[in-house]
Amino acid sequence: MALSFILPLTRFSHHYSFPLNSNSKSIHIARTLISAISTPTMSMSSSSEVSKTAAPYGSWKSPITSDVVSGSSKRLGGTAVDSLGRLIWLESRPTESGRSVLVREAEKAGEEAVDITPKEFGVRTLAQEYGGGAFRVFGDTVVFSNYKDQRLYKQSLDSKDSSPVPLTPDNGEPLVSYADGVFDARFNRYVTVQEDRRENKLNPSTTIVAIGFGNKDIQEPEVLISGNDFYAFPRLDSKGEKIAWIEWSHPNMPWDKTELWVGYISETGEVYKRICVAGSDSTLVESPTEPKWSPDGELFFITDRKNGFWNIYKWIESENEVVAVYTVDAEFSGPLWVFGLNSYEFIQSNEKKNLIACSYRQNGRSYLGILDYVQGSLSLLDIPFTDIDNITSGNHCLYVEGASAVNPSSVAKVILDEHKSRAVEFEIIWSSSPDSLKYKSYFSLPELIEFPTEVPGQNAYAFFYPPTNPVYQGSQGEKPPLLLKSHGGPTAETRGMLNLSIQYWTSRGWAFVDVNYGGSTGYGREYRDRLLGRWGIVDVNDCCSCAKFLVDSGKVDGERLCITGGSAGGYTTLAALAFKETFKAGASLYGVADLGLLRAETHKFESHYIDNLVGNEKDYFERSPINFVDKFSCPIILFQGLEDKVVPPDQARKIYKALKEKGLPVALVEYEGEQHGFRKAENIKFTLEQQMVFFARLVGHFDVADEINPIKVDNFD
């Protein structure tokens, strides 16, 4: 989830009005019209080329500094609407050491948005380490997970001075986490996923529990559903008589195989009867997700049965039958790395027609549409976002989390016409980087490229960003250095949206490519399954093939190819440097060096993840870069958080020590107080700068324009 572009209404607002063509676009038409997200071009008039200063690629000056990047790295943790229809969002702030704060939209235009969360609190859950679903708003109350103690608190939204009140017991240390909750009005309680580490920190129990609202004394939550390894999406129907949820078990991840269940709730609040709606049929491999009850009490959900794409389905309760609502080769949801995904919402037109506002991804971009689930037709809405994450229904509007090639991660208010078939107004309410537009002339626009892999007839995808700066051009006869990024996950997807950390590189004269190697999401299960049993092979080969494709296309310098990646992307980086000779240097951010050690030490959620991605013990050994230090032949810089429980610090330390002893240029940067992914502004800034100067010194053949004090590189300085 990369972010950028914040503008609260207090500072600036964008309004767009655009009627669609009189004939509503259908998804089928859209499929034939898909093109690249945008077409970057380096061609300019000869007069403008003459006016540019020729300078070596990589040495250009840019106003997109590391301070700009680190200051724009706010993350969005979800949105909601209060009883008055005002938007509430959760944002993490690098300038406050990554503290996450609930903020409410200003009551009137021109006024400041208001922080809801008191300064001594931070809203974040550590459930499954990656968290998500850390708060829920209903009426004038918010329930949230507090980061420091992981307890749930409730807070009134009516009073500015309302103090949070704890709902769950104090265990002395943060051993119990909660996520993805809903309010149960029938029994005045909060139903949520609980992860309990009190008995076993490495293998905590996960259950769905109920927490009483009316009790004067704080009591231990009541377990409603238990017995499986993982749970998500507890969702109650409007009467509180039925509950739906998703569950899965080792070694599956939630995008491999899950089950959707419905339970019936007794007069005493217990779940007394259960039905498996989807996922139990051995003839169907599917991963149902995002169950949601319609206003009429029908259960909808998303699954990837049959065509391999996450599409919208409905459960016919009387027949215990699942039927497709809309089927197309596009993804209406994504991998469940964090709790709280919300890819669709029920809305009504003025004619009382029941509709679904939804988004889907196809060929590297997102679309927002309105689905008439009775007619089975879908109309697209014309909005500036090309990447969409979540949708929240407001009063006569939609709040859409999204971005584009020129808009960083934002929340937009989309007002629809009375028929709910056309967007008539588009307004940015929140942005991760409110000042980013002033750098627009420096933006490199992403080009969606499709390149051949090592498997004949199989292609993979990437977003290519050429070096772009209105003041500079490359030296005559020179081609730019390339930084290739391998995304984390590895079951994830990189997107062609504005990311100022990428623009930091391209505005200084680097070419940048963000690769969706085989195994990435967004292209269906068949593409996702390419990595099964072949992690460390397919991803590495695809990254190398992409770099070679760009070299052969004449776009980059084949002697100055660098690679970077975080987490699983860090593993791909290290594996590419150990087992291939394509790249000349690399940077691994909290990356995996030893697959066996990862399997033994990582947290419960991913403890069996790589069983399906790697294979037997021989594969674990042969694909672990740490076991083949003799094969490394180029410089590497490593960055690691010391509180990382996903990829423990020993991984980075082992690879650093081995490379140092071998005599290769290597550096290790460790951050106190950082976990898996860096949240503090100073550490985001330092990581970016040190990668830049490391590559410049060791492979770039140029001096960086910024004043950066390089850290000591062993076996080089």
Side-chain angles (χ1 to χ4, degrees):
M1 295 182 180
L3 319 157
S4 355
F5 183 107
I6 162 176
L7 42 136
L9 286 171
T10 56
R11 300 198 50 165
F12 190 43
S13 291
H14 286 316
H15 295 267
Y16 305 82
S17 294
F18 31 70
L20 289 183
N21 295 333
S22 56
N23 56 328
S24 293
K25 296 180 182 178
S26 80
I27 192 172
H28 306 291
I29 296 173
R31 292 175 64 195
T32 67
L33 297 177
I34 289 171
S35 59
I37 294 297
S38 45
T39 307
T41 174
M42 296 298 290
S43 62
M44 305 181 77
S45 66
S46 57
S47 59
S48 65
E49 289 288 356
V50 171
S51 67
K52 287 191 171 188
T53 300
Y57 287 111
S59 69
W60 304 348
K61 293 181 180 179
S62 170
I64 304 175
T65 65
S66 56
D67 285 313
V68 169
V69 175
S70 61
S72 72
S73 299
K74 289 185 179 181
R75 301 183 185 183
L76 191 64
T79 57
V81 174
D82 68 11
S83 61
L84 298 177
R86 288 173 297 186
L87 180 69
I88 293 173
W89 63 86
L90 178 62
E91 66 176 44
S92 71
R93 298 172 175 171
T95 54
E96 296 182 31
S97 298
R99 186 172 82 99
S100 294
V101 180
L102 285 167
V103 184
R104 182 165 53 194
E105 176 186 3
E107 292 187 32
K108 299 177 182 177
E111 293 183 352
E112 293 282 346
V114 179
D115 283 6
I116 295 171
T117 308
K119 293 188 180 297
E120 62 271 25
F121 288 84
V123 181
R124 182 181 165 201
T125 176
L126 293 176
Q128 292 182 179
E129 288 303 320
Y130 296 112
F135 76 101
R136 177 73 64 175
V137 173
F138 44 94
D140 297 318
T141 302
V142 59
V143 172
F144 68 89
S145 175
N146 184 44
Y147 173 58
K148 287 185 179 179
D149 58 14
Q150 289 295 288
R151 298 172 73 188
L152 283 181
Y153 290 77
K154 70 175 178 179
Q155 181 182 359
S156 171
L157 299 175
D158 280 342
S159 171
K160 293 182 179 179
D161 301 320
S162 173
S163 298
V165 177
L167 291 173
T168 53
D170 182 358
N171 296 296
E173 54 181 313
L175 293 174
V176 183
S177 298
Y178 306 90
D180 206 11
V182 291
F183 182 61
D184 182 357
R186 182 183 174 197
F187 294 100
N188 193 30
R189 61 187 182 177
Y190 192 67
V191 177
T192 184
V193 176
Q194 173 185 274
E195 186 178 67
D196 190 343
R197 297 178 289 276
R198 284 175 290 189
E199 293 187 7
N200 191 328
K201 291 184 179 181
L202 280 179
N203 188 31
S205 65
T206 305
T207 54
I208 294 176
V209 300
I211 297 158
F213 255 42
N215 301 327
K216 291 184 179 180
D217 298 325
I218 296 174
Q219 299 177 350
E220 191 71 23
E222 176 190 357
V223 175
L224 295 179
I225 300 161
S226 63
N228 214 332
D229 293 319
F230 302 100
Y231 295 92
F233 295 111
R235 298 294 184 262
L236 292 159
D237 72 345
S238 59
K239 297 179 180 179
E241 296 175 349
K242 293 190 283 283
I243 181 173
W245 70 90
I246 298 293
E247 64 179 61
W248 68 99
S249 57
H250 289 313
N252 294 311
M253 297 300 285
W255 46 84
D256 294 326
K257 194 176 190 314
T258 58
E259 293 178 350
L260 167 61
W261 287 77
V262 167
Y264 294 81
I265 301 172
S266 71
E267 293 296 326
T268 58
E270 299 173 340
V271 178
Y272 70 91
K273 176 185 173 184
R274 305 181 186 191
I275 295 175
C276 187
V277 172
S280 63
D281 186 343
S282 60
T283 65
L284 286 174
V285 178
E286 63 177 324
S287 49
T289 185
E290 294 199 57
K292 188 171 291 189
W293 298 93
S294 75
D296 295 332
E298 294 182 301
L299 180 64
F300 288 71
F301 61 100
I302 296 173
T303 191
D304 57 347
R305 59 171 58 190
K306 296 183 179 178
N307 71 343
F309 287 85
W310 276 307
N311 287 180
I312 299 178
Y313 287 75
K314 182 174 71 171
W315 178 50
I316 308 299
E317 182 178 5
S318 59
E319 307 293 331
N320 191 21
E321 181 185 359
V322 169
V323 296
V325 174
Y326 197 84
T327 305
V328 67
D329 289 351
E331 302 278 36
F332 283 78
S333 186
L336 184 64
W337 279 106
V338 297
F339 289 103
L341 297 179
N342 200 53
S343 303
Y344 66 104
E345 284 274 33
F346 295 104
I347 61 173
Q348 265 196 347
S349 69
N350 284 6
E351 299 92 348
K352 303 299 181 183
K353 291 177 69 175
N354 293 320
L355 306 169
I356 293 177
C358 55
S359 67
Y360 66 89
R361 286 191 67 74
Q362 190 176 55
N363 291 11
R365 66 159 291 168
S366 297
Y367 297 87
L368 180 66
I370 302 297
L371 173 63
D372 184 329
Y373 56 84
V374 176
Q375 299 294 327
S377 62
L378 189 146
S379 299
L380 296 183
L381 301 177
D382 192 1
I383 67 170
F385 286 162
T386 54
D387 290 274
I388 297 170
D389 284 319
N390 292 300
I391 300 170
T392 297
S393 181
N395 289 353
H396 310 294
C397 69
L398 298 173
Y399 291 102
V400 180
E401 300 174 29
S404 72
V406 294
N407 291 328
S409 177
S410 311
V411 179
K413 183 178 185 177
V414 180
I415 297 177
L416 307 177
D417 67 355
E418 60 183 9
H419 304 295
K420 301 295 188 286
S421 62
R422 190 167 62 91
V424 296
E425 190 174 331
F426 179 92
E427 177 188 4
I428 298 290
I429 301 294
W430 177 92
S431 164
S432 58
S433 178
D435 300 325
S436 61
L437 272 180
K438 68 184 181 183
Y439 307 112
K440 189 174 181 180
S441 63
Y442 288 83
F443 290 168
S444 176
L445 301 179
E447 176 188 353
L448 178 63
I449 62 172
E450 185 174 354
F451 59 90
T453 69
E454 290 197 358
V455 178
Q458 271 192 3
N459 290 348
Y461 307 91
F463 290 103
F464 176 68
Y465 300 79
T468 304
N469 188 304
V471 180
Y472 293 95
Q473 63 183 12
S475 302
Q476 188 172 4
E478 183 192 15
K479 292 178 181 176
L482 174 72
L483 182 59
L484 181 146
K485 182 183 177 184
S486 172
H487 67 68
T491 309
E493 179 189 8
T494 190
R495 299 186 175 191
M497 55 189 275
L498 180 63
N499 182 339
L500 289 182
S501 65
I502 292 176
Q503 305 299 327
Y504 175 84
W505 293 90
T506 55
S507 64
R508 284 165 174 73
W510 281 77
F512 194 104
V513 67
D514 217 347
V515 183
N516 275 319
Y517 48 78
S520 301
T521 52
Y523 300 90
R525 180 179 281 270
E526 183 179 340
Y527 193 85
R528 195 164 77 238
D529 285 352
R530 285 186 189 179
L531 209 59
L532 294 180
R534 295 178 62 78
W535 190 32
I537 298 174
V538 169
D539 50 321
V540 170
N541 288 344
D542 286 358
C543 286
C544 293
S545 294
C546 183
K548 183 178 184 299
F549 175 79
L550 293 171
V551 171
D552 293 345
S553 302
K555 294 186 175 183
V556 300
D557 184 350
E559 295 303 313
R560 292 189 291 175
L561 303 177
C562 301
I563 184 171
T564 186
S567 189
Y571 165 70
T572 301
T573 293
L574 293 173
L577 296 174
F579 305 126
K580 299 285 187 176
E581 297 181 353
T582 303
F583 300 98
K584 307 303 179 184
S588 170
L589 285 64
Y590 39 93
V592 179
D594 187 329
L595 294 174
L597 191 61
L598 176 70
R599 180 175 55 174
E601 293 186 351
T602 197
H603 59 133
K604 177 187 176 184
F605 179 59
E606 293 184 85
S607 59
H608 293 273
Y609 181 25
I610 59 176
D611 289 355
N612 290 331
L613 293 178
V614 180
N616 58 37
E617 293 302 319
K618 181 182 178 184
D619 295 325
Y620 272 89
F621 182 86
E622 292 184 346
R623 294 188 212 163
S624 294
I626 192 64
N627 298 325
F628 298 91
V629 176
D630 58 307
K631 292 183 178 291
F632 282 96
S633 59
C634 67
I636 299 175
I637 186 168
L638 306 126
F639 300 88
Q640 179 68 45
L642 292 179
E643 294 182 10
D644 193 339
K645 294 180 181 178
V646 179
V647 180
D650 279 351
Q651 297 259 328
R653 289 171 178 166
K654 283 182 69 175
I655 203 79
Y656 165 72
K657 181 181 178 183
L659 295 178
K660 182 180 177 181
E661 290 175 353
K662 187 187 178 185
L664 282 175
V666 63
L668 171 63
V669 178
E670 295 182 325
Y671 296 124
E672 292 185 1
E674 290 283 18
Q675 298 168 335
H676 197 65
F678 307 144
R679 293 173 176 266
K680 299 179 181 179
E682 62 270 24
N683 296 338
I684 296 169
K685 168 184 165 74
F686 192 80
T687 301
L688 195 58
E689 289 181 339
Q690 292 304 321
Q691 284 186 84
M692 172 69 74
V693 73
F694 181 84
F695 291 145
R697 293 177 71 203
L698 280 87
V699 301
H701 311 306
F702 57 80
D703 294 322
V704 298
D706 307 86
E707 292 186 8
I708 302 173
N709 292 321
I711 60 172
K712 180 178 181 291
V713 179
D714 292 295
N715 302 319
F716 181 76
D717 292 316

